[in-house]
Amino acid sequence: MLKGCKFKLLPTTVAVSSALFTQIAVADSEGEHEKMVVMGNPLQATEVFIDSEQLERQQANDINDIFRTDPEVSIGGGSGVSQKIYVRGIEDTKLNVSIDGATQSANLFHHQGRLSIEPELLKQVEVAAGAGRATDGPGALGGAIRFKTKDAEDMLQDGERFGGLVKAGYYDNTEGYKTSVSGYGYLTDSVSVLATLLYSNLGNYTDGAGKEQQYSEAQNKVGFLKVTGDLTNEQKVTLSYDRREDEAYRKFKPQFDDDMRGTAPLDQNIVRETITANYSYNPLNSNWLDLNFTVYNTDTSFEQLSRATPADTDNSIKYETIGGDIRNTSAFGQNSITYGVDYRHDSVNAMFAGVWKGKPYSDKYKPKGSVTGAYIQGDFQVFEPLLLSVGGRYDEYKYTDSGGFKLKHSGFSPNASLRYAILPSFSIYAGYAEALRGAQVPTGVFKLNNKPTDPDLKAERAKNTELGASWISGGFNLSATAYIAKIDDVVGLKNSNIGDLEDRGFTARAGYHWQGLSTSLSYNHSSPEIDGERLRDGDHYGIGTSTGDTWVADINYQVLDNLLIGYTGRYVQKLDGATVPDGGELYTYEEKPGFAVHDIYSQWKPLSGEELTLSLAVKNLFDKSYRDHASYGVIEGSDGWVMKGTREPGRDIRFNVAYAF
């Protein structure tokens, strides 16, 4: 900051940081620089933290790339437009996902219009798995994912007032490219601005078997503007505008392979616009007041601009989310309490038209829902080794379907955890949390037609229990977490309760960091089931899926001051198949084979300064042919019907040039 600026660390924050942060020594030219990587928070035993440096050196281009190094997160779908996030097997529709505090609720049409974010804009990503803190927001049944974008201060070098960045990248697999230009700087001593324009054009990708996945191309246009103003040394305002447009001629159901029904191509367009405003007030002479206020509006639209045949459906969906959150943190001694209120309103305007069983139809749907919540979360240093975190939130949900039928749910969600430092380097953890999600706009908007709301619909309630331990010594760090997550009265696509979910699992992480070398190995086992049956691709859409045990290894080495090389390997064990009855038919879910995918990357800064960066990455180095377990597998019905998901992209050589001035 050019003007005087204050950063106030709460005493409890310092205590938590000392227990939960891993110090990673990253050698610079003088060998003195240290980097901090978050390993957890007061409630969840582990919390994944991904920073912009990691995304840049691995040339992240979609959601799959963002979460490639976390075994608790699986991404299914193949092409970027059809990707879905699963955390410990639970789908992102059961999580709270936000960008700079703006909740992303839209789930529009057959995987499309779901989560969309440009990795190049991101400063950091946080994943809190499992129901957790009251501050995670309403309805966080499976946890929370928080994306945070960059601002001008993140882009400027020391002493600079203005700057710019030009990037160009080439993607071998799709014969595609991405270009972007950013400008940033201080308009006054207290007002800074960052503006980015980005365009990418990717062709069809080729899977590891050498098959070109038809109609998987994409054209993305991104515009981003963020203005930050320091009103005083104690007050700060941030305004941001993020627009992403995706237009392509793609399959009606892009998550499926070419040779199955329902994949006729259509000219489709998806647009997401998010406007966010944040105000913070943190007076110098008060530990009782640290106020943050956020308001936001997200509009997401999906349109089919042309039809392959007159019999194809013609759909358009507009999904708007508006909301806000106001919270304050008060500190006293070694303790702190955060309390506040939040609100979100979702509304949909959907039109479905086409021909079904020889008869034309045209329907319009306008459901809407809201949730209002109040919450409190306290972190207390009971005595030096023991940290207690306890909190809760009360939420009220209101929902009105297109026919005017109304539902209302409300309830309290408590949480509590203890972390005890047996030694300065070794601590143990135990926590319990609940989360309530009442009636809201259905997960699959495209399933609204002819699906009335169940008048006896019950609210979903998650109950998450975790036990964990962590050890940090010098350059070594180890952590392990065991968890049991339950969601009672799970709501399915048809806005009705379909059963109770239970997910038992275990996560372990190990790392070693010494001078320019950084290594990590992590593992996750999750086994989500509904009423004792494993979650499956076909009939548990919008809830979750099952994946094999997952290992992730990551190694990077700073060879020279200006040259870094790295490797990431993801190993997934096979998942057995099953034959299950459904509606009088038998469906066979084929075995999901295990697979190993290897990536390498390097980053070179040939000039004496930081101006020029050359990056080379090879995804799927050995051109492995596989389906991610989070994608649809191969499902065969006893009537001869077959459903088959797409395979993942094969080898992709990526080259990127970035020049800052």
Side-chain angles (χ1 to χ4, degrees), residues 43-54:
L43 187 67
Q44 278 96 349
T46 57
E47 179 174 280
V48 177
F49 178 91
I50 304 166
D51 63 16
S52 60
E53 292 181 4
Q54 178 179 339

Side-chain angles (χ1 to χ4, degrees), residues 262-379:
T263 59
L266 299 165
D267 189 14
Q268 302 175 2
N269 189 49
I270 302 170
V271 177
R272 176 183 62 79
E273 292 182 293
T274 298
I275 300 174
T276 308
N278 178 269
Y279 168 79
S280 62
Y281 177 48
N282 189 356
L284 293 165
N285 58 357
S286 174
N287 287 327
W288 290 88
L289 188 60
D290 185 1
L291 182 68
N292 283 276
F293 178 47
T294 300
V295 293
Y296 58 87
N297 177 277
T298 296
D299 284 316
T300 307
S301 64
F302 167 85
E303 291 184 279
Q304 293 179 335
L305 305 178
S306 65
R307 294 185 287 173
T309 70
D312 286 331
T313 57
D314 185 4
N315 305 297
S316 66
I317 304 170
K318 296 185 182 297
Y319 197 125
E320 181 182 28
T321 299
I322 60 173
D325 178 286
I326 181 169
R327 65 181 62 184
N328 183 59
T329 300
S330 298
F332 46 98
Q334 295 294 308
N335 311 301
S336 67
I337 299 177
T338 299
Y339 45 92
V341 295
D342 50 32
Y343 173 81
R344 190 184 83 239
H345 182 275
D346 299 315
S347 60
V348 172
N349 187 345
M351 187 275 289
F352 303 98
V355 177
W356 177 251
K357 295 183 178 179
K359 296 181 180 180
Y361 68 89
S362 179
D363 298 307
K364 294 183 179 180
Y365 298 88
K366 295 184 178 181
K368 59 183 179 180
S370 66
V371 55
T372 304
Y375 56 87
I376 184 169
Q377 187 75 44
D379 298 316

Side-chain angles (χ1 to χ4, degrees), residues 110 112 251-257 260-264 268:
H110 289 286
Q112 300 177 73
K251 290 177 286 188
F252 179 71
K253 298 179 181 179
Q255 70 271 29
F256 292 135
D257 198 73
M260 67 160 286
R261 69 185 187 185
T263 59
Q268 302 175 2

Side-chain angles (χ1 to χ4, degrees), residues 226-245:
K226 195 174 204 179
V227 180
T228 303
D230 294 297
L231 304 181
T232 67
N233 291 347
E234 302 173 333
Q235 299 181 76
K236 183 177 182 178
V237 174
T238 302
L239 300 173
S240 65
Y241 172 74
D242 180 9
R243 175 186 170 91
R244 179 181 175 91
E245 182 176 352

